[in-house]
Every structure is written in structure tokens, then in C-alpha cells.
Amino acid sequence: MASHRRPKQPNRARVSFLTAAAAAAVALSSQAAVAAPAKPGKDEVKAKVDALYEEAEKATEKFNGAKEQQEKLEKQIGQLQDQVARGQGELNELRNTLGSMASAQYRTGGIDPSLALFLSSDPEDYLDQAAALDQLSGQQVEAVQKIQAKQRTLAQQRQEAAGKLKDLDATRKELGDKKQTIQGKLAEAQKLLNTLTAQERAQLKDEDTRASRDDSARANLGSVKASGRAGAALAAAKTKLGSAYISGHEGPNSFDCSGLTQWAYKQAGVGITRTTWTQAKEGTRIPISQLQPGDLVFFYSDLHHVGLYAGNGMTLHASNPRGGVKYEKISYMEPQFGVRI
């Protein structure tokens, strides 16, 4: 026989506990929903990555400047060290000459006391005593004065070399700091790209490829033809379309922005400096409206990016690690002015 007994009703304490537990579960679910932000979409990731690439490029140009300064200091230090070595040899010869004079004087009647004092004490201290020079012969005075001048020159050169070495240490530290900044920005950008699915990454690549193809076609429609060394530089840069963008590289197979422009003009037989900021000071500055193919074009208010004007409102530049060397509308960036080399 089936039982018709009514189920036992839960007491008030049990109801309160279950209600509180359910409320807590709902609250935790709500918090979890708030704490888990939506995954950024392809376009948002692209915008963030491009911003990181731009920050990395700013650091790259500072790195290039520090590297150029390091090479300059190393060259100057080498020249100073060579000068010091040669000067020390000349000083030794002068002292030998004076010693020969003293020996000859001794053989002919005894060495002059002042000359003996000069030879046996610190010359640099003794030479400052002008009264001692009055007791030497004219030839000996000339020899002593040459030694004095050489010693002072050597002291100045050694001091200058020491200062350059100190500057070099600071420059090397700056290089290390800038390199670390660049690597950090690029690593952050790659981390963002890795959040995309394989399909999203493929779509992003297809979009970049189509844009680059359209920009290339638009650049080839330019009616003004390049000529002279600007034309030769642009022609050289065109041979590097599709090359990789790598911070600090200046060719021949990979470039950063100022590395490409420097390399291109070198192929045209023209030497220009390494960074965007120094390249902006070379040649003749011209407004954007007067650009001709092969002119340098500088972008953004701090001038951290440069390309070659390719005609028809286009630039040929080393863009970023995703785009490499390609054509692009100058209006996509923030063109400031051009420079005609």
C-alpha cells in the first residue's frame, strides 16, 4: 500500500540557511561575470598592437642615436689614445736629447747644477720654476720648454680621453635601457596578437596584404617621375619592398624606418645620418604640398618616423614588425614636412 504521509516541512532555520546560500551563489556568479572582461576583438587588438609598435619605434630611434654616439666616442677615444702613445714617445725622445746634452756638458767641464736637478726630480714640478731656466744654455732651455709643452699636452689628452670613456659608459647604459624598452613593447604586442584565434590572425594578415596591394597600385599611378639622387634612392628602396622591419637594422635585408632611408641614399652615393631627428636637419625642408618622389617625409610631432615619398600621396617606408617595408598613404599617419637631400 502506497504511503500518503505528507513530507516533513523544513524548519525555519534550514530555510534561512538555504536562502542565504542561494543568494551567495548568485552574488559569486555575478562577481565572476564582472571580473571576466570580454576578449578583445581583432580590430581592438590591431589598434593596441600598432600603438605598441609606435612606442617601440620611438625607443628604437633613441637607441639608434645612442649607438651612433657610442661609435663616435669609440673612434674619438681611439684617436686620443693613439695621440697619447705618440706623444709619450716624443716626450721620451726629448728627455733623451736633454740627457745627451747633460752628458756632453759633464764631459767638457761638469754638469750644471740646475740641469742635474731637472734630470733627477719630477720635471713637471721643476719646469714651473722659471728661475731654473735662467741657469741653462739656450739650447737646453729650448729642450726643457719642449718637454714642458709636451707634458701639458699629454695631460690634457689623457683628461679628455678619461672624459670620453665616462661618456661612453653612460651611452652604453642608455643603449641597454633602450633595448630593454624595445623588447618589452614588442613582447607585449606579440602577447596581444597571441590572444587572437588562428582565423582572426589569418583575417588580419589578409587585410594587411590587400591594403598593401592597393597602396602599391596607387603609388605606381604617380605622374611625377623621380630623378637624380632622390630618384636613385627611391629606386633602391623599391628593391626592398617586403623586407622585414627589425629595430636597429640598417640593411641590406631588414630595416627600421631611418635605417631604410639611410641605406637607400647610400646606394645613391649620398651619406646621411642614422636617426629620424638628425635626418630631419639635413638637406632643405619643404612643405608636404611640394614633395617630390625620393624626398624624405617625416611623421608625427616628435618626428620619430620617416619614409621616402613615392608619389601620388604615398610613402615607401619600413612600417613596423607586422607590415615590413611597404607603400602606404602618408595621410594614414601624421605627416609633418619633407626634406630634399
Side-chain angles (χ1 to χ4, degrees):
M1 178 181 295
S3 172
H4 295 281
R5 188 171 55 183
R6 293 178 63 184
K8 184 179 179 181
Q9 297 297 317
N11 59 36
R12 185 175 300 175
R14 180 175 175 80
V15 170
S16 299
F17 173 79
L18 292 173
T19 302
V26 171
L28 287 172
S29 298
S30 300
Q31 289 175 1
V34 171
K39 177 177 172 290
K42 172 175 61 66
D43 292 339
E44 185 180 352
V45 167
K46 180 180 181 296
K48 289 180 178 179
V49 166
D50 286 345
L52 286 167
Y53 283 159
E54 190 173 337
E55 291 175 16
E57 186 169 54
K58 292 178 185 179
T60 294
E61 288 305 305
K62 292 177 181 177
F63 173 89
N64 292 337
K67 186 177 179 183
E68 192 172 46
Q69 177 67 6
Q70 174 185 259
E71 292 169 354
K72 181 180 178 181
L73 285 169
E74 287 174 341
K75 184 177 180 181
Q76 290 174 343
I77 289 168
Q79 291 172 342
L80 282 167
Q81 288 173 337
D82 288 343
Q83 291 172 5
V84 168
R86 286 195 301 270
Q88 188 62 55
E90 293 169 1
L91 178 60
N92 292 339
E93 288 180 9
L94 287 170
R95 284 174 172 166
N96 290 337
T97 299
L98 190 58
S100 299
M101 291 180 189
S103 298
Q105 190 178 39
Y106 178 79
R107 287 193 300 270
T108 57
I111 186 169
D112 187 285
S114 59
L115 185 56
L117 178 60
F118 169 77
L119 292 171
S120 63
S121 63
D122 184 354
E124 190 170 358
D125 292 338
Y126 185 69
L127 288 172
D128 290 330
Q129 302 177 30
L133 298 179
D134 294 336
Q135 301 176 41
L136 303 177
S137 68
Q139 190 176 11
Q140 290 167 342
V141 167
E142 184 180 359
V144 169
Q145 289 174 336
K146 285 182 179 179
I147 290 174
Q148 183 181 36
K150 181 59 65 177
Q151 285 176 320
R152 287 174 177 166
T153 299
L154 280 173
Q156 291 172 353
Q157 289 172 339
R158 287 190 175 107
Q159 186 176 5
E160 185 178 356
K164 298 287 184 187
L165 284 167
K166 187 176 180 180
D167 291 342
L168 182 57
D169 286 341
T171 300
R172 283 175 174 161
K173 183 180 183 304
E174 183 183 0
L175 269 175
D177 292 343
K178 293 294 178 287
K179 186 173 183 179
Q180 190 174 6
T181 299
I182 294 164
Q183 291 172 339
K185 297 296 182 184
L186 294 179
E188 191 176 348
Q190 188 58 52
K191 186 177 179 180
L192 273 171
L193 288 171
N194 290 342
T195 65
L196 299 176
T197 65
Q199 182 179 1
E200 287 173 327
R201 286 196 293 270
Q203 289 174 347
L204 188 59
K205 184 176 181 180
D206 288 344
E207 289 172 5
D208 288 341
T209 300
R210 283 198 302 272
S212 181
R213 186 166 53 241
D214 292 344
D215 288 339
S216 295
R218 193 175 294 112
N220 291 328
L221 292 174
S223 58
V224 179
K225 300 303 178 184
S227 61
R229 55 191 186 181
L234 180 58
K238 285 181 178 180
T239 68
K240 297 303 176 180
L241 280 165
S243 295
Y245 177 106
I246 301 180
S247 296
H249 283 215
E250 50 198 42
N253 300 315
S254 54
F255 306 85
D256 58 29
C257 68
S258 57
L260 176 65
T261 51
Q262 184 190 50
W263 179 88
Y265 267 94
K266 184 177 181 181
Q267 310 317 300
V270 181
I272 61 175
T273 51
R274 181 62 178 90
T275 72
T276 57
W277 300 299
T278 53
Q279 288 180 9
K281 298 176 182 178
E282 301 191 36
T284 303
R285 183 175 295 198
I286 51 176
I288 295 298
S289 61
Q290 295 180 18
L291 285 171
Q292 293 180 8
D295 289 339
L296 299 179
V297 194
F298 294 88
F299 299 92
Y300 306 107
S301 59
D302 64 353
L303 311 179
H304 70 264
H305 190 70
V306 65
L308 292 157
Y309 185 63
N312 203 27
M314 308 295 294
T315 183
L316 174 54
H317 66 146
S319 58
N320 56 45
R322 195 178 69 250
V325 178
K326 65 176 185 177
Y327 289 112
E328 196 162 9
K329 275 187 175 181
I330 64 173
S331 59
Y332 288 169
M333 295 170 279
E334 298 174 15
Q336 303 296 308
F337 56 82
V339 166
R340 186 159 297 152
I341 301 297

